[in-house]
Amino acid sequence: MPHVPTFALFTTRMEGWYQSQVWHGAGTAARMLGVRLVALIGSSFDGEDQSGGPTEIFDLARASEIDGYVILSGALGNFSGPEPLEALLARLPKRPVVSLGMPLTGASALLSEGGGMDSIARHLIETHGLRRMAYISGPASNADACRRWEEWIRTQAEYDISQDPDLVDAGDFMPDSGRLAAERILDRTDPPEAFVC
């Protein structure tokens, strides 16, 4: 029987919209290419929510049947940045690696060119005339969250709007953290005209 290449997808969970979309897209691509895809579901490194399971699950990618790695690095490195992911790769056999969301040493990376915050800011400003908007970001260690924040600030500046620091807080891309961030903003200052998350 001929060898069928098998790739391991490193992810944090399957029930979230982002993760399920990545799984669907990767599964579709695997079928089109005639390869196998295995999901290794753990938790993000240094995150409080360990609902995905222990990060040791990713060590299963050492199996000789695994030919390459697809790492959802934006989710796995939300709180830690790239260092633990690069340490994980150093422990695993050298195989092709694709990193989704964050550059990793020795890996091909697929990165978002924009976070979409420019479109959101323009819509809220031009269509609704808003100027006092609250912003709830993702973790500061997350590359996508940083790009979105920079885009948000840059676009507001085009309209001579400065972001009020009292209207800024951070979450971790999960509903409970967003609710808590919104509550902290509302405790600090008058209600904003909109929340952007």
Side-chain angles (χ1 to χ4, degrees):
M1 182 174 203
H3 174 72
V4 177
T6 302
F7 296 87
L9 174 69
F10 296 46
T11 187
T12 57
R13 64 179 80 74
M14 292 302 238
E15 75 273 6
W17 179 87
Y18 175 68
Q19 288 84 353
S20 65
Q21 292 299 305
V22 169
W23 174 249
H24 175 73
T28 300
R31 284 189 297 281
M32 290 173 53
L33 296 169
V35 301
R36 291 185 181 122
L37 185 65
V38 175
L40 298 177
I41 305 169
S43 294
S44 59
F45 289 85
D46 292 337
E48 291 180 18
D49 178 18
Q50 298 294 306
S51 62
T55 58
E56 291 80 15
I57 192 79
F58 303 125
D59 290 328
L60 292 175
R62 289 186 176 127
S64 60
E65 295 82 9
I66 303 296
D67 298 297
Y69 316 123
V70 179
I71 300 179
L72 211 58
S73 55
L76 294 173
N78 266 345
F79 306 99
S80 64
E83 292 80 13
L85 300 172
E86 290 174 347
L88 169 65
L89 289 174
R91 292 193 311 268
L92 296 174
K94 299 291 182 224
R95 296 187 177 131
V97 180
V98 175
S99 173
L100 303 177
M102 180 185 301
L104 297 176
T105 303
S108 298
L110 296 173
L111 306 172
S112 171
E113 290 186 19
M117 288 296 135
D118 57 340
S119 297
I120 293 171
R122 283 187 177 83
H123 175 78
L124 292 172
I125 296 165
E126 293 175 4
T127 304
H128 300 285
L130 305 184
R131 299 189 62 82
R132 190 168 183 280
M133 297 167 280
Y135 188 89
I136 300 175
S137 71
S141 56
N142 181 275
D144 285 333
C146 292
R147 278 192 295 276
R148 291 176 188 134
W149 170 250
E150 291 166 5
E151 198 172 285
W152 174 255
I153 293 299
R154 186 175 53 250
T155 305
Q156 283 193 99
E158 293 173 15
Y159 295 89
D160 294 321
I161 298 173
S162 296
Q163 180 65 57
D164 179 346
D166 284 339
L167 292 174
V168 177
D169 213 303
D172 64 6
F173 300 127
M174 299 302 291
D176 285 344
S177 72
R179 180 182 49 76
L180 292 172
E183 288 173 1
R184 288 190 296 267
I185 289 171
L186 293 172
D187 286 344
R188 280 195 299 263
T189 187
D190 294 332
E193 297 172 306
F195 277 90
V196 176
C197 310

